[in-house]
Amino acid sequence: MLVHGTAFGQAQDKAQQKCINALNKGMVKVASAQTKANGKCASDFAKGKNMDADACWNASTKVTAAETKNCTAEMSKCTMAPDYGKTSCGNVNNYAQYNASELGSDIFSQADPSAGIVLCATDKAACKCQAKAVKASNKLYATYMKVFNKCKKSGLKSGIVDVAGLPRVLTWIPSSRSPRR
């Protein structure tokens, strides 16, 4: 997985590219499942349906299912380990889950996301606006992840051998904080 820093290596053959691309496709699915969980949990909290949005989005069965699927893909697609950039599906999953979860925390509150969520019973208009903002930020993040992977896939195919070969905007990392897991 190419995400940041400077990684040098040699051009990856088709089997190696297949591994990298499979793990990163799974990374997008894990991140997508997590951002959807963030939105659902925040919405439910705003409506009084759960007591802790942060705990809710860190316990999503859909995220766990996406992570499991990514590890299954690794077992079948990673027959030839890449020379650089490859980590385990566990690391890829943790990265995706953590950064997508942090997006929710960044929107509402780092210390206690539940404290930053507007309750619908208190302010209906703000609650509606909040839901739209979460949906839009999730869509933006999903688009970023897809564009990053598309560019990286193309770069691997054309022989780019390090992150420096990718456009700077595509090597940006959304969060630098440590994972909660």
Side-chain angles (χ1 to χ4, degrees):
M1 175 173 106
L2 299 176
V3 290
H4 61 84
T6 305
F8 297 99
Q10 61 188 36
Q12 304 299 284
D13 68 25
K14 288 186 185 230
Q16 293 168 316
Q17 290 177 40
K18 187 177 181 181
C19 176
I20 293 169
N21 293 330
L23 283 171
N24 283 283
K25 184 177 179 182
M27 177 179 66
V28 170
K29 290 183 180 195
V30 170
S32 177
Q34 185 63 61
T35 57
K36 287 177 185 173
N38 296 354
K40 171 108 175 76
C41 292
S43 176
D44 286 352
F45 181 84
K47 295 173 186 172
K49 294 181 182 177
N50 72 38
M51 300 304 291
D52 186 344
D54 190 41
C56 174
W57 68 50
N58 284 312
S60 172
T61 57
K62 290 183 180 181
V63 173
T64 303
E67 290 174 333
T68 300
K69 226 174 174 180
N70 199 23
C71 289
T72 301
E74 176 186 34
M75 291 184 338
S76 68
K77 305 282 185 186
C78 293
T79 56
M80 174 65 125
D83 294 320
Y84 65 92
K86 181 186 184 297
T87 61
S88 69
C89 66
N91 287 339
V92 171
N93 291 342
N94 283 339
Y95 168 83
Q97 184 277 334
Y98 170 73
N99 280 296
S101 183
E102 284 299 297
L103 177 62
S105 295
D106 288 345
I107 291 169
F108 297 111
S109 167
Q110 277 300 316
D112 178 11
S114 297
I117 297 172
V118 176
L119 302 178
C120 296
T122 306
D123 188 339
K124 272 191 170 187
C127 185
K128 191 174 183 178
C129 180
Q130 171 180 268
K132 287 180 181 181
V134 169
K135 186 175 181 179
S137 68
N138 289 350
K139 187 174 182 178
L140 177 64
Y141 189 66
T143 300
Y144 164 78
M145 296 287 284
K146 287 176 186 175
V147 168
F148 177 84
N149 280 343
K150 184 176 180 180
C151 179
K152 184 171 39 172
K153 186 175 182 178
S154 175
L156 286 168
K157 192 173 186 177
S158 69
I160 289 177
V161 297
D162 63 49
V163 176
L166 296 173
R168 176 71 185 129
V169 69
L170 295 177
T171 59
W172 169 77
I173 297 301
S175 180
S176 61
R177 291 180 290 280
S178 301
R180 286 186 262 208
R181 280 186 171 182

